[in-house]
Amino acid sequence: ALVFLLVALWMGAFRATSLAGHHAAEHQVVHAAERGVPLTVEAVGRMERVHPRCGTRLAAAALMLVAAGWAGETVGVAGYVLGGMATLRWWNGVGDWLQ
């Protein structure tokens, strides 16, 4: 439970800073560069803010696996199995939401 509180506090602090906006802008620049779009403010501003190869997706998977471990300790093998299945199914979506 402590790990979830710490992650929630970190996410809140990250969102409260300008760093979150810089992270999204970085994704937009990468999208533009990968598509051969000129790196102008107007063109980059039209790009998506979520990037499929962002490390945030991996962080989401790690967090979900920690939750699965916690569930496994709480309810046994079924918790590990269900947590692992949930991680495989939803980690990309959770990672995108976190971005």
Side-chain angles (χ1 to χ4, degrees):
L2 178 61
V3 71
F4 294 111
L5 176 62
L6 293 173
V7 169
L9 288 172
W10 178 84
M11 286 175 50
F14 183 77
R15 287 285 191 186
T17 68
S18 62
L19 190 58
H22 292 289
H23 186 217
E26 178 185 44
H27 289 178
Q28 291 174 299
V29 169
V30 171
H31 276 300
E34 289 175 343
R35 295 175 182 156
V37 174
L39 298 180
T40 64
V41 174
E42 296 80 21
V44 169
R46 290 190 297 268
M47 297 292 121
E48 301 169 34
R49 296 173 59 114
V50 173
H51 197 276
R53 291 186 311 276
C54 179
T56 303
R57 281 186 169 188
L58 294 176
L63 182 61
M64 292 175 77
L65 287 172
V66 166
W70 176 78
E73 290 177 14
T74 304
V75 296
V77 174
Y80 287 113
V81 172
L82 293 174
M85 289 171 58
T87 300
L88 288 174
R89 172 69 176 94
W90 291 302
W91 74 281
N92 281 332
V94 172
D96 288 353
W97 178 78
L98 290 173
Q99 287 183 55

